[in-house]
Amino acid sequence: MLTFRKLASITEGALVQFVQDWPVLDLLTDSRKLSQPAGTVFFAISGKYNNGHKFISQLYAQGVRQFVVEELPVEEQSRSYPEANFLQVTSSLAALQTAAAWHRQQFKVPVIGITGSNGKTIVKEWLAQLLTPDELVVKSPRSYNSQVGVPLSVWQLNEKHTLAIFEAGISQPAEMEKLQHIIQPTMGIFTNIGSAHNQGFDSVAQKVAEKLKLFAQADLLFYCADHEQVHEAVQAGNIASFTWSRKSKKADLIISGTTIAGAKTIVVYTYQRQKQRLAIPFTDDASVENALHCLAVLLYCGLSLADIQNRLDKLHPVAMRLEMKEAINGCYLIDDTYNNDLAGLAIALDLLASQPQRGKRTLILSDLLESGVPEEELYQQVAALVRVKKVDKVWGIGPTIQKNAEAFGGTGTFYSGTAAFLKQFKADAFRNEVILIKGARVFGFEKIVQAFQQKVHGTVLEVNLDALVHNLNFYRSRLAPDTRLMVMVKAFAYGSGSFEVANLLQFHHVNYLAVAYADEGGSLREHGITLPIMVMNPSVDSFAKLRQYNLEPEIYSLELLEQFLFESGGANARIHLKLDTGMHRLGFTESDFEMLFYMLEQHPKVQVVSVFTHLAGADEALHNDFSARQIANFRQLSEQVEERLGYKTIRHVLNSAGIVRFPEHQLDMVRLGIGLYGVEATGAEQEALQPVSTLKTTVSQVKGIGKGETVGYSRKGVAAEAKTIATIAIGYADGYDRRFSNGVGEVIINGKRAPIIGNVCMDMCMVDVTSLEVKAGDEVIVFGPQLPLVELAQKIGTIPYELLTNVSARVKRVFFAE
Ligand SMILES: *Cc1c(COP(=O)(O)O)cnc(C)c1O
């Protein structure tokens, strides 16, 4: 077993503080994911955006006693960790990898390593499912395939497992060697190589060569010989292989034909001189390719045709992400119904735990898949996890979990199966809860999800919470360590959903939120947001609300101040002063100062928390001089304010564009807005951000029209020749701007762009899909990663802000995390 002292020796680090030699049971890199302090070693990794060293004191308080660090806590701090072991290394990440590699070496089982541009996760999930009848499989949870994810995946391996399947992903040269060292695959699958996003590599050939390093010690590599660059590189590298191909007769598995029949693809193949037919329960190219990789492995393992067919029939699409959906009675669902193992459960419970404010936390859980841990112990572990993650209510479904109900200490309700649960299901039993639905495939939990779901209309705005966090981290990386961060969640968080976004920001410890109106702030409070909130447009009739909900007004004029002071009648209050330095919207000017200070002196219980101004042209370089003057002016004026007040305030100027353009003027705080939502307003660093929202709808009908016929109101869309048009379920009442009419706008259907034809109507519009493959029910992307907001805004002469905030309230928001 790995102990802390042993860890020190294999990582060649220095045991700078050593209390006792505890065992290493769990590796932790993300302080929020702590489950069991005893035996946990925290690796403080300093990444591009975050520095793990910041979380040591918090983890110590939570009971963690083993730390791997790159820098030591400063002298006076280190005295506050008398009971902890500290191991100092040059790279905590490398130490984590060394620990995992050492762990891997303790086992002799076959290990399949999977890499490639696409399909890694799906092939891994499917293979695990396909081989489970014969093997006890351990696999990477979700897509844990990075420099941190791989060590954590490999750490799960235990003596009971008979097969391991781990995926490996890289974004830069030299990374794969490290992953090879940790996974040490005995067999490999190279799924494919994409020509897309080659950042980090000089060429596709280099990328292939790097990826192949995963298989440096593997005895056998499965791949599709039709990917020429992969094929050439494998041949040149002399790696023993099992190939499949649609073109070459030399492959081990020859695919001589595929035909789509209903919802299946019939595959005719030749293996060991025998021609066979098989049905794959998918029709899209990517799924068929993924299934053929699996087929190659199953044939190699010697399974019979009947067995293979039987197992393939049970495959389902893998949900690559955890979806959060609104449900009945004010409930929220986290839908994770693909599989159910301990590692996956821990990840899903973390997401549940990050939703602290929505009332009760409920878990609906099926039996866990084979884990290699004895049943009783397994459910003890599950119950412990459930306690640590503060789940209030457990519904256990399945014979095994029911048998082990006692582990949950009488807190849960248990059923032998999904049908039994649904039979007693009463919607009224669930109210204002966040419900994690986590079940292995065989339990068919999608039926439970359906029972909880509200009707979904055709149009949804999908909000990618991971992208939000990515963008947050990007801006954080631009801030000096002590600069505070206020995030603007006005206008329904730029259309993305105020409460959900605010909740995430609270979880990620931003310092302040800002909304436009008191009502918005009140609603955040009702949902349990406890961060300080600034209200930018406090009207006189909202002052009572400000007090009730502990909201802090922006005060921008003497008149408003007078009304506020009158209303508050000498009570304590926290306010923010807005200065006008050139925007000429709201704010005090220097000529107001004498009166302003006089009034404030009369009301010593009113504290000026912050003083700020807003830049009029931070997004455009053209206005740099003007911005510089605004900033200089603000520095001077805010100094006067502090001098007269006799105390320090929080001073802030920069919006999203300002953070990028004027890093030297962060002062005490910045105000992040549009950048969080994925639009880099200066345009210089758009690449560093991830798009957050995707507006989607569906095709309602497809029809052909003849030459000369017209489409829509006012007969504006004229068909110069015969056309196929599709009617889609979005109109200006959903926020789809009428200026997109008549060919100005485009949408994406099945990966292809299609222009709007005719005028946009209230609830729908028509697109020209002539020569595209489109049918009713197909998904339509209105904007999203493939159809950027910036581009669409330009087409109609507006800015992305307007497109985002226009998406109407009737469009359902769906939140998800990878
Ligand atoms: C909206 C707003 C911001 C954020 O602006 P972005 O351009 O979205 O970053 C900052 N400060 C004030 C006063 C605002 O009203």
Side-chain angles (χ1 to χ4, degrees):
M1 184 195 285
L2 192 58
T3 66
F4 201 72
R5 193 192 288 280
K6 176 89 184 161
L7 181 65
S9 99
I10 61 178
T11 56
E12 293 170 12
L15 274 176
V16 283
Q17 180 169 307
F18 188 71
V19 177
Q20 198 183 320
D21 197 19
W22 288 293
V24 176
L25 301 178
D26 214 350
L27 311 182
L28 183 71
T29 58
D30 180 338
S31 60
R32 293 162 310 189
K33 302 208 162 147
L34 175 66
S35 49
Q36 190 56 38
T40 289
V41 175
F42 178 66
F43 292 77
I45 295 173
S46 41
K48 205 155 123 205
Y49 300 127
N50 267 322
N51 186 345
H53 295 83
K54 282 194 301 205
F55 302 100
I56 292 175
S57 66
Q58 178 201 327
L59 287 166
Y60 186 83
Q62 290 174 276
V64 176
R65 291 294 177 265
Q66 312 188 74
F67 296 93
V68 176
V69 297
E70 292 168 12
E71 51 202 78
L72 290 177
V74 282
E75 179 63 18
E76 60 274 25
Q77 261 178 19
S78 71
R79 279 197 217 111
S80 34
Y81 310 121
E83 294 169 20
N85 288 345
F86 278 87
L87 169 61
Q88 190 177 18
V89 294
T90 36
S91 158
S92 301
L93 176 61
L96 173 79
Q97 296 175 336
T98 305
W102 181 90
H103 184 72
R104 165 69 184 88
Q105 269 159 8
Q106 314 308 307
F107 303 95
K108 292 257 173 307
V109 288
V111 174
I112 302 180
I114 306 180
T115 194
S117 296
N118 295 301
K120 295 185 284 292
T121 302
I122 296 173
V123 171
K124 177 203 69 197
E125 293 292 337
W126 282 354
L127 257 191
Q129 183 184 337
L130 292 164
L131 293 172
T132 287
D134 316 312
E135 309 285 349
L136 189 49
V137 184
V138 57
K139 62 183 168 58
S140 331
R142 305 199 76 83
S143 39
Y144 271 38
N145 61 30
S146 67
Q147 296 290 310
V148 173
V150 167
L152 299 180
S153 300
V154 169
W155 186 257
Q156 305 172 93
L157 192 55
N158 69 32
E159 10 349 275
K160 300 278 168 44
H161 295 119
T162 61
L163 175 69
I165 312 180
F166 298 122
E167 53 175 289
I170 55 170
S171 53
Q172 282 169 37
E175 288 185 338
M176 195 55 100
E177 275 173 83
K178 295 180 189 154
L179 300 186
Q180 188 282 329
H181 196 61
I182 306 165
I183 299 177
Q184 300 159 37
T186 58
M187 279 187 282
I189 300 175
F190 198 132
T191 57
N192 52 44
I193 195 79
S195 52
H197 72 94
N198 261 332
Q199 306 124 314
F201 298 94
D202 300 335
S203 64
V204 177
Q206 188 202 8
K207 200 160 70 169
V208 171
E210 281 296 329
K211 292 194 183 218
L212 269 180
K213 289 186 181 160
L214 179 60
F215 310 115
Q217 314 277 332
D219 304 323
L220 188 66
L221 176 62
F222 294 90
Y223 70 97
C224 169
D226 303 342
H227 295 295
E228 278 162 28
Q229 278 163 304
V230 177
H231 189 50
E232 280 163 24
V234 175
Q235 297 295 309
N238 244 331
I239 304 171
S241 62
F242 183 110
T243 56
W244 65 270
S245 171
R246 297 170 191 267
K247 298 179 190 152
S248 160
K249 295 274 176 288
K250 289 198 211 123
D252 298 288
L253 167 60
I254 301 159
I255 310 296
S256 45
T258 52
T259 20
I260 293 177
K264 297 190 172 195
T265 302
I266 308 297
V267 179
V268 179
Y269 67 85
T270 308
Y271 176 60
Q272 294 181 337
R273 305 238 167 85
Q274 294 218 31
K275 203 166 193 163
Q276 306 280 16
R277 273 164 58 96
L278 199 65
I280 294 173
F282 301 96
T283 56
D284 64 288
D285 293 346
S287 298
V288 171
E289 176 176 275
N290 293 333
L292 290 174
H293 288 308
C294 295
L295 174 65
V297 177
L298 297 183
L299 287 171
Y300 172 81
C301 293
L303 265 68
S304 74
L305 179 64
D307 233 357
I308 293 176
Q309 183 64 69
N310 185 3
R311 293 182 192 189
L312 284 178
D313 287 344
K314 300 201 185 87
L315 289 184
H316 287 269
V318 177
M320 297 294 288
R321 57 196 210 183
L322 291 172
E323 278 204 356
M324 267 192 280
K325 307 169 179 172
E326 273 177 64
I328 51 168
N329 301 338
C331 290
Y332 252 87
L333 290 190
I334 302 175
D335 175 358
D336 193 6
T337 51
Y338 190 78
N339 65 31
N340 193 12
D341 51 29
L342 207 50
L345 177 64
I347 296 173
L349 281 173
D350 281 329
L351 186 63
L352 182 67
S354 73
Q355 313 291 319
Q357 322 300 345
R358 280 194 255 244
K360 280 211 183 81
R361 295 190 198 123
T362 300
L363 170 65
I364 300 181
L365 181 69
S366 78
D367 286 355
L368 268 78
L369 293 183
E370 289 288 325
S371 62
V373 179
E375 199 177 293
E376 251 169 61
E377 197 182 318
L378 175 65
Y379 286 95
Q380 293 289 354
Q381 285 184 23
V382 171
L385 206 54
V386 162
R387 274 193 302 277
V388 177
K389 302 296 175 190
K390 303 201 168 60
V391 174
D392 300 296
K393 244 186 353 181
V394 179
W395 302 76
I397 297 176
T400 322
I401 195 167
Q402 190 180 36
K403 204 165 93 201
N404 289 278
E406 259 172 38
F408 295 86
T411 55
T413 315
F414 295 85
Y415 296 92
S416 57
T418 306
F421 172 82
L422 285 172
K423 209 164 140 212
Q424 65 72 46
F425 178 80
K426 284 193 204 66
D428 275 352
F430 299 87
R431 205 160 278 279
N432 303 324
E433 299 170 28
V434 200
I435 305 167
L436 169 61
I437 302 192
K438 179 101 184 107
R441 193 79 228 172
V442 286
F443 285 88
F445 271 15
E446 53 281 2
K447 292 196 204 82
I448 298 180
V449 172
Q450 271 162 21
F452 275 107
Q453 279 234 309
Q454 295 177 316
K455 198 168 152 35
V456 185
H457 298 283
T459 304
V460 293
L461 184 77
E462 291 189 344
V463 179
N464 180 342
L465 298 175
D466 290 332
L468 270 175
V469 174
H470 170 91
N471 297 341
L472 178 69
N473 285 336
F474 166 75
Y475 284 96
R476 277 201 157 146
S477 75
R478 294 302 169 96
L479 301 184
D482 48 0
T483 304
R484 275 174 266 207
L485 179 61
M486 173 185 268
V487 179
M488 315 309 279
V489 291
K490 59 192 178 191
F492 203 46
Y494 289 53
S496 303
S498 336
F499 161 61
E500 292 78 3
V501 172
N503 193 39
L504 190 77
L505 294 169
Q506 177 157 299
F507 185 67
H508 286 275
H509 303 297
V510 309
N511 305 92
Y512 252 97
L513 297 177
V515 294
Y517 296 102
D519 282 341
E520 297 177 279
S523 153
L524 292 179
R525 287 279 183 259
E526 302 225 307
H527 280 96
I529 300 296
T530 54
L531 287 175
I533 300 176
M534 178 174 90
V535 176
M536 292 192 293
N537 284 298
S539 59
V540 176
D541 51 9
S542 72
F543 288 159
K545 197 160 223 167
L546 296 180
R547 231 187 351 268
Q548 180 191 351
Y549 288 111
N550 186 22
L551 306 170
E552 304 171 4
E554 161 188 329
I555 301 290
Y556 51 80
S557 71
L558 294 173
E559 216 180 333
L560 185 66
L561 179 61
E562 188 172 275
Q563 288 161 332
F564 182 76
L565 294 175
F566 177 75
E567 236 284 329
S568 58
N572 286 325
R574 291 160 62 85
I575 64 171
H576 302 260
L577 295 183
K578 170 82 156 287
L579 308 184
D580 182 358
T581 56
M583 174 85 174
H584 299 327
R585 194 167 63 176
L586 299 176
F588 293 99
T589 55
E590 197 168 2
S591 62
D592 299 318
F593 274 20
E594 277 318 306
M595 192 62 187
L596 170 65
F597 299 135
Y598 173 75
M599 289 163 74
L600 289 172
E601 275 156 21
Q602 304 295 307
H603 292 83
K605 287 183 160 180
V606 172
Q607 187 201 347
V608 176
V609 185
S610 89
V611 182
F612 70 107
T613 194
H614 195 35
L615 299 178
D619 49 339
E620 291 171 287
L622 156 81
H623 301 305
N624 277 359
D625 288 347
F626 186 78
S627 299
R629 260 179 285 149
Q630 274 195 283
I631 295 169
N633 191 1
F634 175 75
R635 281 180 176 268
Q636 190 260 324
L637 291 177
S638 56
E639 256 163 49
Q640 275 189 50
V641 173
E642 291 192 340
E643 214 162 280
R644 288 295 295 267
L645 290 175
Y647 55 84
K648 289 277 172 211
T649 63
I650 302 172
R651 300 191 302 154
H652 46 117
V653 182
L654 303 180
N655 60 357
S656 308
I659 299 171
V660 169
R661 205 184 284 285
F662 306 107
E664 67 281 22
H665 297 301
Q666 293 169 4
L667 304 178
D668 306 310
M669 184 158 79
V670 297
R671 298 186 307 273
L672 175 61
I674 191 90
L676 180 71
Y677 309 96
V679 177
E680 205 285 280
T682 72
E685 307 234 27
Q686 184 59 52
E687 292 298 307
L689 299 188
Q690 292 177 3
V692 167
S693 14
T694 303
L695 181 60
K696 284 182 174 174
T697 187
T698 51
V699 173
S700 310
Q701 193 180 25
V702 178
K703 56 176 57 131
I705 56 169
K707 179 176 173 176
E709 292 195 72
T710 65
V711 178
Y713 284 123
S714 310
R715 308 192 57 204
K716 287 288 186 199
V718 184
E721 64 249 302
K723 279 188 181 303
T724 312
I725 60 159
T727 303
I728 64 174
I730 190 169
Y732 55 79
D734 299 295
Y736 192 59
D737 202 293
R738 203 163 169 279
R739 288 171 285 181
F740 286 124
S741 297
N742 302 311
V744 175
E746 284 179 325
V747 297
I748 293 183
I749 309 182
N750 298 330
K752 302 248 163 56
R753 288 188 176 219
I756 306 296
I757 180 167
N759 281 326
V760 173
C761 314
M762 189 186 290
D763 305 309
M764 51 196 126
C765 61
M766 281 63 83
V767 293
D768 182 349
V769 294
T770 312
S771 79
L772 302 187
E773 293 261 332
V774 175
K775 59 183 185 312
D778 282 356
E779 180 178 277
V780 180
I781 310 255
V782 180
F783 62 68
Q786 313 88 326
L787 200 53
L789 281 164
V790 177
E791 180 192 329
L792 293 181
Q794 265 165 10
K795 280 187 200 279
I796 59 167
T798 184
I799 47 176
Y801 298 74
E802 187 183 349
L803 295 186
L804 272 176
T805 53
N806 270 356
V807 177
S808 82
R810 79 176 186 191
V811 173
K812 197 176 148 90
R813 269 70 176 171
V814 174
F815 301 87
F816 69 92
E818 297 293 334

